[in-house]
Amino acid sequence: MKDAIVDTFRDEFGERPDVSVKTPQVLFDVYINKKEVIISLNTSGAPLFQRGYRDSIGEAPLNEVIAAGLIRMSGWDKKSTFMDPFCGSGTLLIEAALMAAGLPPQIERQHFAFKNFKNYDAEVWESILAEIPRRVTELPCEIIGSDIEADMVTRARRNLRGLPIGRFVKTSVDAFQDVKKPSEDATGIMISNPPYGERMGEEVEEMYEELGDWMKTEMKGFNCWVISSNLDAFKELGLRPDRKIKVFNGDLECSFRKYSIYEGSKKGKYMNKPEEK
Ligand SMILES: C[S@@+](CC[C@H](N)C(=O)[O-])C[C@H]1O[C@@H](n2cnc3c(N)ncnc32)[C@H](O)[C@@H]1O
Protein backbone atom coordinates (compact mmCIF):
# COMPACT_ATOMS: atom_id res chain seq x y z
CA MET A 1 0.00 0.00 0.00
CA LYS A 2 2.77 2.40 1.04
CA ASP A 3 4.88 1.40 -1.98
CA ALA A 4 1.97 1.90 -4.37
CA ILE A 5 1.45 5.41 -3.04
CA VAL A 6 5.11 6.48 -3.12
CA ASP A 7 5.57 4.95 -6.59
CA THR A 8 2.66 7.02 -7.83
CA PHE A 9 4.37 10.12 -6.47
CA ARG A 10 7.62 9.13 -8.18
CA ASP A 11 5.85 8.61 -11.54
CA GLU A 12 4.03 11.91 -11.20
CA PHE A 13 6.79 14.12 -9.77
CA GLY A 14 9.99 12.18 -10.49
CA GLU A 15 10.83 11.83 -6.79
CA ARG A 16 9.99 9.08 -4.32
CA PRO A 17 8.84 10.61 -0.99
CA ASP A 18 10.37 9.44 2.28
CA VAL A 19 7.94 7.92 4.72
CA SER A 20 8.60 6.77 8.24
CA VAL A 21 6.97 3.34 8.40
CA LYS A 22 6.78 3.40 12.20
CA THR A 23 5.36 6.90 12.61
CA PRO A 24 3.85 7.92 9.28
CA GLN A 25 2.38 11.43 9.07
CA VAL A 26 -0.57 10.24 7.03
CA LEU A 27 -2.29 6.92 7.63
CA PHE A 28 -4.45 4.81 5.37
CA ASP A 29 -6.65 1.94 6.49
CA VAL A 30 -7.10 -1.08 4.25
CA TYR A 31 -10.03 -3.42 4.91
CA ILE A 32 -10.09 -6.64 2.91
CA ASN A 33 -13.24 -8.74 2.92
CA LYS A 34 -13.17 -11.58 0.38
CA LYS A 35 -12.96 -9.77 -2.96
CA GLU A 36 -13.84 -6.34 -1.64
CA VAL A 37 -11.08 -3.95 -0.62
CA ILE A 38 -11.81 -0.64 1.03
CA ILE A 39 -9.02 1.92 1.27
CA SER A 40 -9.70 4.90 3.44
CA LEU A 41 -7.74 7.88 4.58
CA ASN A 42 -7.49 7.94 8.36
CA THR A 43 -8.29 11.42 9.64
CA SER A 44 -7.87 10.59 13.34
CA GLY A 45 -4.58 8.81 13.92
CA ALA A 46 -4.86 6.98 17.24
CA PRO A 47 -8.37 5.44 17.41
CA LEU A 48 -11.07 7.77 18.70
CA PHE A 49 -12.25 5.29 21.34
CA GLN A 50 -8.93 5.79 23.09
CA ARG A 51 -10.12 8.85 24.90
CA GLY A 52 -6.85 9.29 26.75
CA TYR A 53 -8.32 9.64 30.24
CA ARG A 54 -7.93 6.03 31.28
CA ASP A 55 -4.55 5.44 32.90
CA SER A 56 -5.99 3.00 35.26
CA ILE A 57 -8.37 0.25 34.27
CA GLY A 58 -9.94 -2.67 36.08
CA GLU A 59 -10.26 -6.24 34.93
CA ALA A 60 -13.33 -5.84 32.74
CA PRO A 61 -13.54 -2.18 31.78
CA LEU A 62 -16.13 -1.04 29.28
CA ASN A 63 -14.74 0.40 26.10
CA GLU A 64 -15.23 4.17 26.32
CA VAL A 65 -17.33 4.45 23.17
CA ILE A 66 -19.56 1.58 24.27
CA ALA A 67 -20.10 3.38 27.57
CA ALA A 68 -20.97 6.60 25.72
CA GLY A 69 -23.27 4.67 23.36
CA LEU A 70 -25.12 3.02 26.25
CA ILE A 71 -25.72 6.39 27.91
CA ARG A 72 -27.04 7.83 24.65
CA MET A 73 -29.30 4.84 24.04
CA SER A 74 -30.73 5.18 27.54
CA GLY A 75 -32.08 8.63 26.63
CA TRP A 76 -30.71 10.16 29.87
CA ASP A 77 -31.69 13.84 30.01
CA LYS A 78 -28.27 14.93 31.43
CA LYS A 79 -30.11 16.77 34.20
CA SER A 80 -31.38 14.06 36.53
CA THR A 81 -29.16 12.03 38.85
CA PHE A 82 -26.84 9.47 37.22
CA MET A 83 -25.73 6.47 39.29
CA ASP A 84 -23.44 3.51 38.65
CA PRO A 85 -23.13 1.27 41.73
CA PHE A 86 -20.68 -1.08 39.88
CA CYS A 87 -18.46 1.73 38.63
CA GLY A 88 -15.13 -0.16 38.35
CA SER A 89 -12.60 2.25 36.86
CA GLY A 90 -15.34 4.82 36.24
CA THR A 91 -15.90 4.71 32.48
CA LEU A 92 -19.68 5.27 32.59
CA LEU A 93 -19.31 8.02 35.21
CA ILE A 94 -16.70 9.86 33.14
CA GLU A 95 -18.63 9.63 29.88
CA ALA A 96 -21.82 10.78 31.65
CA ALA A 97 -20.05 13.72 33.28
CA LEU A 98 -18.44 14.81 29.99
CA MET A 99 -21.86 14.72 28.30
CA ALA A 100 -23.52 16.65 31.13
CA ALA A 101 -20.80 19.33 30.94
CA GLY A 102 -21.07 19.57 27.15
CA LEU A 103 -17.41 18.64 26.75
CA PRO A 104 -16.28 16.61 23.76
CA PRO A 105 -14.60 13.41 24.91
CA GLN A 106 -11.29 14.17 23.18
CA ILE A 107 -10.95 17.56 24.86
CA GLU A 108 -7.42 16.89 26.14
CA ARG A 109 -6.16 15.42 22.89
CA GLN A 110 -3.60 17.45 20.98
CA HIS A 111 -2.95 15.41 17.89
CA PHE A 112 -5.26 14.29 15.12
CA ALA A 113 -4.00 12.91 11.81
CA PHE A 114 -5.92 15.56 9.86
CA LYS A 115 -3.53 18.18 11.26
CA ASN A 116 -0.91 16.77 8.86
CA PHE A 117 -3.13 17.21 5.82
CA LYS A 118 -2.27 19.87 3.32
CA ASN A 119 -5.75 21.37 3.51
CA TYR A 120 -5.75 21.54 7.33
CA ASP A 121 -6.95 24.97 8.35
CA ALA A 122 -5.62 25.78 11.83
CA GLU A 123 -7.86 28.83 12.13
CA VAL A 124 -11.02 26.82 11.61
CA TRP A 125 -9.85 24.26 14.14
CA GLU A 126 -9.01 26.94 16.71
CA SER A 127 -12.40 28.59 16.22
CA ILE A 128 -14.13 25.24 16.90
CA LEU A 129 -12.03 24.76 20.03
CA ALA A 130 -12.91 28.27 21.18
CA GLU A 131 -16.60 27.27 21.35
CA ILE A 132 -15.89 24.62 23.99
CA PRO A 133 -16.17 25.76 27.62
CA ARG A 134 -12.63 25.99 29.03
CA ARG A 135 -13.65 25.66 32.63
CA VAL A 136 -16.44 23.68 34.17
CA THR A 137 -17.77 25.36 37.28
CA GLU A 138 -20.59 22.92 38.01
CA LEU A 139 -22.57 20.08 36.53
CA PRO A 140 -26.34 20.30 35.95
CA CYS A 141 -26.83 17.00 37.79
CA GLU A 142 -25.41 14.66 40.39
CA ILE A 143 -23.16 11.86 39.14
CA ILE A 144 -22.53 9.17 41.71
CA GLY A 145 -20.49 5.98 41.48
CA SER A 146 -19.49 3.23 43.83
CA ASP A 147 -17.84 -0.17 43.79
CA ILE A 148 -17.28 -2.85 46.39
CA GLU A 149 -13.53 -2.90 45.63
CA ALA A 150 -11.52 -0.04 47.16
CA ASP A 151 -8.84 -0.54 44.52
CA MET A 152 -11.41 0.03 41.75
CA VAL A 153 -12.65 3.25 43.31
CA THR A 154 -9.04 4.46 43.58
CA ARG A 155 -8.64 3.79 39.86
CA ALA A 156 -11.85 5.63 39.05
CA ARG A 157 -10.71 8.62 41.13
CA ARG A 158 -7.31 8.61 39.43
CA ASN A 159 -8.99 8.67 36.01
CA LEU A 160 -11.40 11.40 37.08
CA ARG A 161 -8.64 13.57 38.56
CA GLY A 162 -7.15 14.46 35.19
CA LEU A 163 -10.43 15.75 33.76
CA PRO A 164 -12.18 19.10 34.15
CA ILE A 165 -15.32 17.29 35.38
CA GLY A 166 -13.47 15.07 37.85
CA ARG A 167 -14.20 16.98 41.04
CA PHE A 168 -17.96 16.96 40.47
CA VAL A 169 -18.32 13.19 40.40
CA LYS A 170 -18.93 11.54 43.78
CA THR A 171 -17.42 8.13 44.37
CA SER A 172 -17.41 5.77 47.34
CA VAL A 173 -16.42 2.25 48.29
CA ASP A 174 -19.71 0.44 48.85
CA ALA A 175 -21.46 -2.78 48.00
CA PHE A 176 -24.50 -1.93 45.86
CA GLN A 177 -26.65 -3.43 48.63
CA ASP A 178 -25.67 -0.48 50.87
CA VAL A 179 -26.11 2.27 48.28
CA LYS A 180 -28.93 4.79 48.75
CA LYS A 181 -30.33 7.43 46.42
CA PRO A 182 -28.90 10.87 47.23
CA SER A 183 -32.30 11.89 48.61
CA GLU A 184 -35.64 10.21 49.17
CA ASP A 185 -37.32 12.06 46.28
CA ALA A 186 -34.37 11.91 43.81
CA THR A 187 -35.21 10.65 40.34
CA GLY A 188 -32.80 9.72 37.61
CA ILE A 189 -31.02 6.91 35.94
CA MET A 190 -28.77 4.04 36.91
CA ILE A 191 -26.58 2.42 34.27
CA SER A 192 -24.49 -0.51 35.42
CA ASN A 193 -22.20 -3.14 34.08
CA PRO A 194 -22.20 -5.77 36.85
CA PRO A 195 -20.05 -8.91 36.66
CA TYR A 196 -21.41 -11.30 34.02
CA GLY A 197 -20.11 -14.49 35.58
CA GLU A 198 -18.19 -15.36 32.43
CA ARG A 199 -15.24 -16.67 34.40
CA MET A 200 -15.22 -20.33 35.43
CA GLY A 201 -16.88 -20.94 38.74
CA GLU A 202 -18.11 -17.37 39.22
CA GLU A 203 -21.64 -17.55 40.61
CA VAL A 204 -23.61 -14.42 39.94
CA GLU A 205 -27.24 -15.58 40.03
CA GLU A 206 -27.62 -14.74 43.71
CA MET A 207 -26.08 -11.33 43.15
CA TYR A 208 -28.57 -10.54 40.38
CA GLU A 209 -31.42 -11.64 42.64
CA GLU A 210 -30.18 -9.23 45.30
CA LEU A 211 -29.70 -6.54 42.67
CA GLY A 212 -33.34 -6.89 41.61
CA ASP A 213 -34.50 -6.62 45.23
CA TRP A 214 -32.27 -3.62 45.80
CA MET A 215 -33.54 -1.86 42.67
CA LYS A 216 -37.15 -2.45 43.77
CA THR A 217 -36.64 -1.10 47.27
CA GLU A 218 -33.96 1.59 46.88
CA MET A 219 -34.28 2.92 43.35
CA LYS A 220 -37.91 4.01 43.14
CA GLY A 221 -38.29 6.80 40.63
CA PHE A 222 -35.24 5.64 38.67
CA ASN A 223 -34.81 4.04 35.29
CA CYS A 224 -32.33 1.25 35.94
CA TRP A 225 -30.36 -0.06 32.96
CA VAL A 226 -28.21 -3.17 33.24
CA ILE A 227 -25.84 -4.56 30.61
CA SER A 228 -24.90 -8.22 30.84
CA SER A 229 -24.16 -11.22 28.67
CA ASN A 230 -25.72 -13.53 31.24
CA LEU A 231 -29.32 -14.03 30.11
CA ASP A 232 -30.09 -16.53 32.89
CA ALA A 233 -28.84 -14.11 35.52
CA PHE A 234 -31.12 -11.39 34.11
CA LYS A 235 -34.11 -13.54 35.02
CA GLU A 236 -32.94 -13.56 38.64
CA LEU A 237 -33.57 -9.83 38.83
CA GLY A 238 -37.26 -10.73 39.06
CA LEU A 239 -38.33 -7.65 37.12
CA ARG A 240 -39.83 -7.32 33.69
CA PRO A 241 -37.69 -5.14 31.41
CA ASP A 242 -39.34 -2.29 29.51
CA ARG A 243 -36.71 -2.53 26.81
CA LYS A 244 -34.08 -4.98 25.66
CA ILE A 245 -31.34 -3.86 23.30
CA LYS A 246 -28.82 -6.28 21.82
CA VAL A 247 -25.28 -4.87 22.08
CA PHE A 248 -21.78 -6.24 21.76
CA ASN A 249 -19.20 -5.64 24.46
CA GLY A 250 -16.13 -6.59 22.46
CA ASP A 251 -16.92 -10.05 21.08
CA LEU A 252 -19.42 -10.76 23.79
CA GLU A 253 -23.08 -10.55 22.83
CA CYS A 254 -24.90 -8.73 25.59
CA SER A 255 -28.32 -7.41 26.39
CA PHE A 256 -28.85 -3.87 27.67
CA ARG A 257 -32.12 -3.81 29.61
CA LYS A 258 -34.22 -1.08 31.07
CA TYR A 259 -36.22 -1.50 34.25
CA SER A 260 -38.44 1.40 35.26
CA ILE A 261 -38.86 1.34 39.00
CA TYR A 262 -42.02 3.18 39.84
CA GLU A 263 -43.07 4.51 43.20
CA GLY A 264 -45.36 1.84 44.64
CA SER A 265 -49.13 2.33 44.53
CA LYS A 266 -50.77 3.41 47.76
CA LYS A 267 -50.93 -0.23 48.78
CA GLY A 268 -47.16 -0.37 48.43
CA LYS A 269 -47.11 -2.69 45.42
CA TYR A 270 -44.63 -2.20 42.62
CA MET A 271 -46.07 -1.63 39.22
CA ASN A 272 -43.22 -3.56 37.65
CA LYS A 273 -44.14 -7.24 37.44
CA PRO A 274 -41.55 -10.01 37.49
CA GLU A 275 -40.25 -11.42 34.24
CA GLU A 276 -41.32 -15.01 33.63
CA LYS A 277 -38.45 -17.42 34.37
C1 LIG B 1 -17.55 -5.47 34.89
S1 LIG B 1 -16.88 -4.54 36.17
C2 LIG B 1 -17.40 -2.88 35.82
C3 LIG B 1 -16.41 -2.18 34.92
C4 LIG B 1 -16.67 -0.71 34.72
N1 LIG B 1 -17.86 -0.47 33.94
C5 LIG B 1 -15.45 -0.06 34.05
O1 LIG B 1 -15.55 0.44 32.92
O2 LIG B 1 -14.36 -0.11 34.64
C6 LIG B 1 -17.91 -4.99 37.53
C7 LIG B 1 -17.57 -4.30 38.84
O3 LIG B 1 -18.52 -4.70 39.82
C8 LIG B 1 -17.88 -4.67 41.09
N2 LIG B 1 -18.70 -5.45 42.04
C9 LIG B 1 -18.81 -6.79 42.18
N3 LIG B 1 -19.68 -7.08 43.17
C10 LIG B 1 -20.16 -5.90 43.64
C11 LIG B 1 -21.09 -5.54 44.66
N4 LIG B 1 -21.73 -6.45 45.39
N5 LIG B 1 -21.34 -4.23 44.87
C12 LIG B 1 -20.70 -3.28 44.15
N6 LIG B 1 -19.79 -3.55 43.19
C13 LIG B 1 -19.53 -4.86 42.93
C14 LIG B 1 -16.50 -5.24 40.80
O4 LIG B 1 -15.56 -4.82 41.78
C15 LIG B 1 -16.20 -4.66 39.40
O5 LIG B 1 -15.42 -3.48 39.47
Side-chain angles (χ1 to χ4, degrees):
M1 170 88 197
K2 188 263 294 172
D3 286 342
I5 294 172
V6 292
D7 285 352
T8 307
F9 271 88
R10 187 197 49 206
D11 296 347
E12 192 83 11
F13 305 107
E15 208 180 322
R16 209 169 183 273
D18 266 344
V19 177
S20 154
V21 183
K22 281 210 177 117
T23 51
Q25 288 136 313
V26 180
L27 290 160
F28 288 85
D29 294 318
V30 183
Y31 298 94
I32 304 173
N33 183 11
K34 296 189 181 119
K35 289 189 170 176
E36 190 182 63
V37 178
I38 298 174
I39 299 173
S40 51
L41 178 60
N42 184 329
T43 55
S44 309
L48 290 176
F49 79 84
Q50 289 171 8
R51 312 282 219 211
Y53 59 69
R54 260 200 340 200
D55 281 344
S56 214
I57 55 171
E59 266 183 36
L62 270 183
N63 172 309
E64 297 92 321
V65 285
I66 293 178
L70 296 178
I71 299 170
R72 277 180 200 281
M73 281 194 288
S74 76
W76 177 50
D77 60 6
K78 301 177 209 160
K79 289 186 211 124
S80 56
T81 304
F82 182 100
M83 291 175 72
D84 177 6
F86 295 86
C87 74
S89 52
T91 321
L92 283 158
L93 302 175
I94 292 172
E95 293 294 331
L98 289 171
M99 279 184 205
L103 291 178
Q106 301 275 344
I107 180 85
E108 308 287 327
R109 179 167 165 165
Q110 296 296 322
H111 187 69
F112 292 91
F114 64 76
K115 288 188 168 180
N116 287 331
F117 294 179
K118 218 173 172 186
N119 61 356
Y120 166 60
D121 187 335
E123 250 174 58
V124 172
W125 179 240
E126 292 305 325
S127 71
I128 293 168
L129 287 185
E131 287 170 21
I132 298 165
R134 283 286 112 194
R135 282 185 59 233
V136 180
T137 48
E138 58 176 357
L139 289 186
C141 56
E142 284 199 271
I143 299 192
I144 306 165
S146 48
D147 197 285
I148 197 167
E149 296 281 343
D151 177 46
M152 283 298 159
V153 177
T154 305
R155 284 164 203 248
R157 287 180 182 156
R158 211 177 288 150
N159 290 334
L160 282 158
R161 209 178 297 145
L163 291 165
I165 43 81
R167 63 200 166 106
F168 305 110
V169 177
K170 292 183 193 143
T171 51
S172 65
V173 181
D174 278 305
F176 72 83
Q177 293 92 330
D178 299 327
V179 171
K180 305 263 177 236
K181 292 194 294 184
S183 64
E184 194 49 39
D185 55 356
T187 57
I189 196 164
M190 171 197 114
I191 303 186
S192 274
N193 171 217
Y196 304 164
E198 286 292 326
R199 269 172 279 161
M200 291 279 283
E202 198 185 4
E203 295 287 342
V204 291
E205 274 75 10
E206 204 179 314
M207 180 205 272
Y208 279 62
E209 195 181 332
E210 283 184 42
L211 177 60
D213 290 344
W214 173 79
M215 277 155 50
K216 279 182 257 181
T217 47
E218 298 296 339
M219 297 303 282
K220 287 181 205 137
F222 269 62
N223 287 327
C224 296
W225 288 80
V226 177
I227 176 175
S228 180
S229 64
N230 193 330
L231 302 187
D232 288 333
F234 264 124
K235 293 186 187 145
E236 301 299 326
L237 290 177
L239 288 162
R240 197 174 52 199
D242 301 291
R243 279 191 74 189
K244 294 182 190 178
I245 305 173
K246 185 163 111 177
V247 289
F248 280 88
N249 182 1
D251 291 340
L252 213 52
E253 185 175 326
C254 293
S255 188
F256 184 44
R257 299 191 177 182
K258 176 187 182 188
Y259 302 88
S260 307
I261 313 295
Y262 301 101
E263 279 296 337
S265 71
K266 282 193 183 127
K267 287 177 200 141
K269 283 189 181 158
Y270 304 113
M271 281 165 71
N272 198 321
K273 298 191 191 78
E275 185 180 25
E276 279 173 27
K277 287 201 182 179

